[in-house]
Amino acid sequence: MNASATIDYTASPQFQNGKFRNVKDGKRPTWQETPGLWWRFLFGKNEGTEPGSPLDVVPIVPQQWRDADSGTIWRLGHSTILMKFDGKFWLTDPVFSERASPVQWMGPRRFHRPPIDLADMPPLDVVIISHDHYDHLDKASVLALAERTRQFVTTLGVGDLLIEWGVPANKVRQLDWWQSLNEDGITVTATPAQHFSGRSLFSGNATLWASWVIATPQYKLFFSGDTGYFDGFREIGERFGPFDLTMLEAGAYDPMWAGVHMLPEQVLQAHQDLGGKWMMPIHNSTFPLAFHPWREPLERVFAGAAEQNIALTTPRVGEALQLDKIETFTPWWREADN
């Protein structure tokens, strides 16, 4: 199947009966449970799901990304990752708005400001978008970055949404699972994930979701997007591993929806299945999207990694990470206000 701006979804093995599907269905709330969960989420969340004051970040100014070595990575918050390879910049799931929501007057609000302003972002060679949920696909951010972005690489159906918003079609490439593109010597591959999609009550699973493999001549990276734990991690590791760094979602989980968001202990197992050398937990410490304390994802992963001798790196938001000399960093989240 050729990647293109427009594509025939019916040719995808993932597309059945008018919707995209997982290989296996994971645990999610039933339709009977969903109203109660929304009520609890809006009006009855536990204490500690948000920090007592905005989290400190490490500010990034243009001179820093200009001077940075190849193989430098910055976590900009949640699942937004800026990467520099041989003078070119890649970005994942850009979300710079105050809220991960269809409107900016309500919805999950950021724990911290982005460490870099949109106006100070570098020119982007590739922007990867894993799926269409609001905490991964922010319309305002996409449109602000469109002029300085050479290529948006995303999943089936999400590309059509970008074009509908006004992104030029020649800048959009849509991939099915196991499909790859090579961009100036860097290969990006959409790999399976166990999740779902939809930006409204009536658009469930109309677009595809994916995890991503990024392979440069020097490094191999895995970016999970959103996913539950599933057998696919082992297959991805066998096909593309070992990975220098896995960037795995660890946050916004709950046993009720463990089939679409991994629990921390499952994150550690996924890293091992993938054949990862170092792991960086993402998808935490930016938006209140579940009932667990905001520190809990990092604490549970931190403890589990120590027990299992897994090399864990936890840079503060905005702090530079060098792939040639990955560090452990200090548990910065313990310094924040309750």
Side-chain angles (χ1 to χ4, degrees):
M1 187 185 300
N2 293 323
S4 63
T6 59
I7 206 160
D8 179 10
Y9 302 162
T10 62
S12 169
Q14 282 59 252
F15 195 77
Q16 300 173 23
N17 301 320
K19 293 181 180 291
F20 288 98
R21 308 277 180 176
N22 290 304
V23 174
K24 296 180 181 178
D25 287 330
K27 181 171 175 53
R28 292 177 58 184
T30 65
W31 67 268
Q32 297 99 325
E33 294 169 324
T34 299
L37 282 175
W38 273 110
W39 179 267
R40 183 182 172 197
F41 185 76
L42 293 172
F43 304 110
K45 287 168 68 169
N46 299 334
E47 284 189 30
T49 56
E50 303 180 33
S53 60
L55 298 180
D56 291 333
V57 302
V58 178
I60 303 170
V61 298
Q63 196 61 44
Q64 290 172 288
W65 54 254
R66 291 191 190 103
D67 292 344
D69 294 333
S70 180
T72 300
I73 288 179
W74 299 265
R75 186 181 172 204
L76 305 186
H78 204 54
S79 295
T80 306
I81 314 293
L82 179 64
M83 301 170 281
K84 184 177 184 179
F85 304 120
D86 295 326
K88 296 187 176 181
F89 293 89
W90 289 48
L91 187 71
T92 64
D93 288 355
V95 179
F96 289 79
S97 291
E98 180 71 9
R99 297 179 186 270
S101 171
V103 295
Q104 288 300 299
W105 50 269
M106 69 172 295
R109 190 173 185 175
R110 303 182 72 95
F111 299 164
H112 59 81
R113 60 167 297 167
I116 184 171
D117 293 334
L118 275 168
D120 291 333
M121 286 286 289
L124 298 168
D125 201 51
V126 172
V127 171
I128 295 172
I129 298 172
S130 66
H131 65 297
D132 71 3
H133 286 157
Y134 286 96
D135 58 321
H136 294 261
L137 176 57
D138 175 30
K139 181 178 180 180
S141 298
V142 165
L143 294 181
L145 293 170
E147 188 172 336
R148 73 184 69 190
T149 299
R150 190 178 68 81
Q151 197 77 70
F152 289 88
V153 179
T154 186
T155 50
L156 302 182
V158 175
D160 287 353
L161 189 57
L162 302 186
I163 294 168
E164 180 183 317
W165 291 348
V167 177
N170 64 359
K171 287 190 172 188
V172 177
R173 291 294 180 268
Q174 305 188 60
L175 304 185
D176 200 352
W177 291 349
W178 306 118
Q179 191 175 7
S180 301
L181 284 177
N182 188 284
E183 299 289 336
D184 295 328
I186 301 176
T187 300
V188 57
T189 303
T191 45
Q194 186 169 281
H195 200 54
F196 65 106
S197 67
R199 292 173 71 84
S200 74
L201 293 175
F202 308 104
S203 63
N205 294 351
T207 65
L208 186 60
W209 48 93
S211 57
W212 299 84
V213 172
I214 304 164
T216 82
Q218 294 81 29
Y219 315 107
K220 281 197 285 189
L221 311 178
F222 179 80
F223 172 70
S224 70
D226 278 0
T227 181
Y229 179 76
F230 72 128
D231 293 342
F233 289 119
R234 191 171 294 108
E235 184 177 2
I236 295 166
E238 290 169 353
R239 289 199 189 193
F240 297 102
F243 293 97
D244 297 290
L245 179 69
T246 65
M247 298 174 282
L248 292 169
E249 68 134 63
Y253 53 78
D254 190 277
M256 289 190 69
W257 57 82
V260 292
H261 284 291
M262 290 185 284
L263 302 176
E265 293 72 26
Q266 294 173 320
V267 177
L268 296 165
Q269 185 60 56
H271 171 78
Q272 294 173 316
D273 291 353
L274 289 161
K277 298 177 183 176
W278 284 83
M279 185 180 87
M280 181 170 73
I282 60 174
H283 203 260
N284 56 66
S285 308
T286 300
F287 294 111
L289 299 173
F291 307 126
H292 58 67
W294 75 269
R295 287 188 179 90
E296 182 183 288
L298 291 172
E299 283 291 351
R300 285 173 65 175
V301 169
F302 190 82
E307 290 175 2
Q308 300 177 45
N309 200 29
I310 291 173
L312 186 71
T313 183
T314 54
R316 191 184 297 269
V317 171
E319 195 166 15
L321 174 67
Q322 303 286 338
L323 289 175
D324 286 332
K325 46 183 177 181
I326 300 179
E327 305 174 56
T328 56
F329 294 97
T330 59
W332 55 265
W333 55 92
R334 295 175 180 171
E335 304 168 5
D337 292 338
N338 291 325

